[in-house]
Amino acid sequence: EVEAIVQPRSDEKDVLCNIAVLEGAPPLSEYWTLLDTNDAVFNAARTAQAATIIFTVAQNAQIEQLATYIHTLRRQRGSALKIVVRESTASLRATDERLLLGCGANIVVPWNAPLSRCLTLIESVQRQVFNRHVPEDIATLLSMTQPLKLRGFQKWDVFCEAVHNMMTNPLLPADGRGVMVALRPAPGLRVEQAVTLCRPNRTGDIMTIGENRLVLFLSFCRINDLDTALNHIFPLPTGDVFSNRMVWFEDKQITSEILQMQAVKPERWTTPLPITTGPETVMNVEHDGRSWRRIPEPIRLAETHGEHAS
Ligand code: C2E
Ligand code: C2E
């Protein structure tokens, strides 16, 4: 028989699998070993050569440990091992997925793939030989998941410098480093007022103001997700607050826009209102004899400066 000529590695058919992956189903064959934890899967895999190793991930706190396991196995056990990660609940960002693949996983199965699809994907990596390069030091891979430690409002020059650094960092994926958006406030609204509505939550999301526009950089956001991200960041639809927007998402475009921004003189940078920069203070409170109560106070957005929305 032809089959007999090819000498398979002895453990090629073995599957070492976290029990959670099968959602209560029994082992699919005598080759399957179910283990209670990722730690146990890792330990069992340390002597494997060509087996299929299946981890699970349920929350983002597990990512770093898992990355270390995958990196160790791939570096020490070689390219015939088939390493699979199944996401059991939505917990991976695109950057996390890249990290796991960069550490040597063959495939990451997303949480919304049902078990049958997951099993088909596991079949699809059988006999696959891993041939991407895995750096010796995992720190290189970990550092690329959150290269920007800044969040929120930055002075114009700090903003430009930070985005420039993202664009020139060789470890980050080309044309996948983020999206930059410039927004011009609707008539009657000043840019320093508009920026008070801009509340980025995610580390790596930064903005600045100048030349009557608000410029935002969203780390690792892809152009197709821009509206999702803006909806997280602004409490109001951006179309109501801004009359015009420009978007850059390729490295080349972003870099050239940043160069132009760096040429803008400091007198054209806009200073934010004190409430944007100062610590949060509790305003208008009074003690009514039993407890503290806030006293509502009317405010208007366009003050004194002669600009009126008609
Ligand atoms: P989603 O909320 O539907 O966001 C889809 C994609 O839009 C994200 O993919 C990301 O590229 C972009 N995006 C959304 N919001 C922001 C933002 O505030 N800043 C930036 N820079 N980009 C944003 P990603 O990162 O792969 O995340 C996939 C999904 O994972 C998200 O879908 C969300 O459901 C979940 N997720 C990711 N990070 C967090 C988190 O910190 N907390 C929570 N609760 N969920 C998260
Ligand atoms: P962070 O990246 O600075 O995000 C801070 C908060 O921004 C998150 O708090 C969440 O409320 C919001 N946020 C950021 N991105 C998204 C998004 O895509 N969708 C939604 N719906 N919300 C978003 P949270 O969830 O309590 O997370 C706190 C920190 O935990 C995050 O700080 C991040 O360092 C880490 N984290 C959370 N989820 C993930 C994840 O899926 N992958 C990674 N690598 N880290 C995560």
Side-chain angles (χ1 to χ4, degrees), residues 19 35 86 101 113 116 122 126 154 172 191 195 208 214 220 257 272 283 301:
I19 193 165
L35 297 139
R86 185 174 200 208
L101 294 168
S116 331
I122 293 166
Q126 294 310 307
Q154 311 296 323
L172 306 181
V191 68
V195 78
T208 193
L214 189 167
F220 299 116
E257 183 59 24
M283 293 189 299
L301 282 180

Side-chain angles (χ1 to χ4, degrees), residues 4 15 37 57 87 102 104 107-108 145 161 171 179 197 201 209 227 257 271 286 304 309:
V15 181
T37 61
V57 58
E87 184 185 26
I107 195 171
V108 178
T145 61
E161 166 92 28
L171 297 176
V179 177
L197 297 171
N201 297 307
I209 48 177
D227 288 319
E257 183 59 24
T271 313
E286 252 177 33
T304 59

Side-chain angles (χ1 to χ4, degrees), residues 92-94 202 205 218-222 225 228-229 232-233:
L92 296 176
R93 291 181 181 170
R202 198 188 269 205
D205 291 353
L218 305 177
S219 292
F220 299 116
C221 186
R222 292 193 177 113
D225 288 319
T228 307
H232 287 155
I233 291 169

Side-chain angles (χ1 to χ4, degrees), residues 21 23 86-88 108-119 121:
V21 170
E23 301 171 9
R86 185 174 200 208
E87 184 185 26
S88 63
V108 178
V109 182
W111 63 273
N112 47 1
L115 180 57
S116 331
R117 297 295 291 275
C118 174
L119 295 171
L121 288 166

